[in-house]
Amino acid sequence: MLELATIADWQEIKRLSVQIHDLHAAWRPDIYFSTEEPYPYDIFLEDIQKRLVYAAKLEGNIVGYVVLSISKKDGAGTVAHKIMRLESICVDEPFRGHGIGKKMVTDVWALAKAFRCSQLLLGVHAENDSAIGFYQKCGFRIRTINMDMNI
């Protein structure tokens, strides 16, 4: 389902990035604000060049996207390993609840394996109960809890 994104995919991915960003802005207005381009074009181009942005296509139409990152960890006291992080994932609102997100996560898992990563990580807002439940059904487990305090 996931295909490497191309420049031609930009407008649809930009539209979907607004859907996700608006949720973040609603949950954390102290950090996020609404914008028409939460995924800037220049960063999108860099991600394409690094092969880190993928479009989910159904019958040729973009119904979602993912942005990934890969890092290596080998600090003191840790086993050297490679991590793929799911930086952003979106299924277009009309297509949610139809198994597309699950297929996208399965494809990302396969990419992580192909890139020889030993872990697949993601972050999710505590307010996003449906996403937390979805990720747990996909096999993710809560590893850490980040906390913050406004000053």
Side-chain angles (χ1 to χ4, degrees), residues 117-151:
C117 296
S118 61
Q119 286 185 303
L120 178 57
L121 302 177
L122 61 81
V124 60
H125 276 272
E127 298 88 342
N128 198 344
D129 293 326
S130 63
I132 292 168
F134 166 74
Y135 294 133
Q136 288 176 322
K137 285 179 186 174
C138 289
F140 288 90
R141 59 187 166 83
I142 295 173
R143 189 183 91 176
T144 61
I145 297 174
N146 292 322
M147 301 173 73
D148 70 3
M149 177 189 300
N150 289 340
I151 299 174

Side-chain angles (χ1 to χ4, degrees), residues 39 47 52-54 65-69 85-89:
Y39 186 21
D47 288 345
L52 295 174
V53 59
Y54 293 79
Y65 78 97
V66 297
V67 179
L68 308 171
S69 66
R85 184 169 177 81
L86 185 49
E87 298 290 347
S88 184
I89 182 170

Side-chain angles (χ1 to χ4, degrees), residues 48-65:
I48 285 177
Q49 290 171 349
K50 295 176 185 173
R51 303 173 62 88
L52 295 174
V53 59
Y54 293 79
K57 295 187 179 181
L58 188 63
E59 298 176 5
N61 297 312
I62 295 175
V63 296
Y65 78 97

Side-chain angles (χ1 to χ4, degrees), residues 11-24:
Q11 289 300 323
E12 279 301 295
I13 289 174
K14 180 174 101 169
R15 180 182 68 78
L16 294 175
S17 73
V18 171
Q19 285 182 13
I20 295 303
H21 186 79
D22 284 350
L23 290 173
H24 294 118

Side-chain angles (χ1 to χ4, degrees), residues 61-128:
N61 297 312
I62 295 175
V63 296
Y65 78 97
V66 297
V67 179
L68 308 171
S69 66
I70 299 173
S71 60
K72 293 179 182 178
K73 303 293 180 185
D74 61 354
T78 62
V79 175
H81 60 290
K82 201 157 123 179
I83 297 170
M84 178 174 282
R85 184 169 177 81
L86 185 49
E87 298 290 347
S88 184
I89 182 170
C90 177
V91 174
D92 198 359
E93 288 177 304
F95 295 94
R96 293 179 191 162
H98 300 285
I100 292 169
K102 174 69 172 160
K103 177 67 176 132
M104 290 169 65
V105 169
T106 299
D107 286 359
V108 169
W109 185 89
L111 284 168
K113 191 170 179 151
F115 280 102
R116 294 194 165 113
C117 296
S118 61
Q119 286 185 303
L120 178 57
L121 302 177
L122 61 81
V124 60
H125 276 272
E127 298 88 342
N128 198 344

